[in-house]
Amino acid sequence: SGPSRPFQAGRFALFVSTIEPRKNHRMLLDVWRKLLGDGVPQRHGFDLVFVGRPGWMVDDLLRDIQQFASPQNRLHHLQDVEDSELQALYAACAFAVYPSRDEGFGLPLIEAFAAGKAVISSDAGSLPEVAKDLAILIGPEGGFDDAERAAIKAHPRAVGISLGPRILRAETAAAAAIALWMGAAGDW
């Protein structure tokens, strides 16, 4: 088993990826800030965990992640994670997120599915083909299909954010999906 962590099994979302601009950590960090401002993670006792080493062109982003990551902000960044610990993190997470804007394959989706985890993913590159019908896919413009929109409207307390008349921006769609799944995590 890996080292002790300040987040609880079943109470965190996991994002595994090298930190690169195309992986969209910035968008997810912005989403997390919005959710924190709305009190959603605090209400559900939920954390977000980034796992990955720094890639290229990420100095500003990495600085922002490092400055913001804390138990108080319920955001954690782990680097140099061994394979056995990564498997343990997948096993312990409530669900995985993968908001990449440009993807050749998307191995973290396969790893999450192999651990039996639900995934919120972008629909960029090869991800729709990899995910098939196994993930909630959010496009570059965000948005949900009618069934997903109805599920979100049916659970406004779980979501805990204002959705407005439509969901178009990827950030809003990701925030709504993450918040909805946080509220449902205890039911799995």
Side-chain angles (χ1 to χ4, degrees):
S1 85
S4 175
R5 299 290 185 197
F7 44 87
Q8 297 178 354
R11 306 304 310 157
F12 67 93
L14 182 65
F15 180 22
V16 177
S17 173
T18 302
I19 298 176
E20 297 178 353
R22 70 185 178 99
K23 301 293 187 171
N24 223 359
H25 289 80
R26 172 69 64 197
M27 186 270 288
L28 196 52
L29 183 61
D30 292 345
V31 163
W32 197 249
R33 284 183 172 133
K34 175 171 181 19
L35 290 171
L36 282 170
D38 290 340
V40 177
Q42 302 91 318
R43 208 168 30 255
H44 295 294
F46 220 84
D47 292 84
L48 175 61
V49 177
F50 288 164
V51 175
R53 295 182 181 123
W56 52 278
M57 295 177 50
V58 293
D59 293 341
D60 290 343
L61 173 60
L62 194 58
R63 185 181 59 252
D64 288 351
I65 290 171
Q66 290 169 343
Q67 288 175 350
F68 194 71
S70 70
Q72 178 183 351
N73 289 330
R74 308 194 77 94
L75 176 70
H76 313 274
H77 177 215
L78 310 177
Q79 297 184 57
D80 301 317
V81 172
E82 298 290 331
D83 288 346
S84 60
E85 185 180 359
L86 183 59
Q87 289 175 351
L89 287 166
Y90 274 118
C93 74
F95 57 91
V97 292
Y98 201 69
S100 181
R101 288 188 303 231
D102 180 23
E103 202 57 51
F105 182 71
L107 182 61
L109 267 68
I110 301 299
E111 292 172 332
F113 295 151
K117 299 301 172 171
V119 176
I120 301 170
S121 173
S122 73
D123 69 355
S126 65
L127 297 177
E129 187 177 347
V130 173
K132 301 283 185 200
D133 294 330
L134 300 175
I136 289 182
L137 298 177
I138 298 172
E141 299 301 319
F144 292 106
D145 66 26
D146 290 340
E148 291 163 339
R149 192 181 309 269
I152 289 167
K153 286 182 179 178
H155 295 88
R157 259 188 24 184
V159 175
I161 60 175
S162 173
L163 300 178
R166 55 195 178 132
I167 299 171
L168 288 177
R169 295 183 55 224
E171 292 86 351
T172 305
I178 289 169
L180 180 64
W181 285 21
M182 273 189 241
D187 299 334
W188 300 334

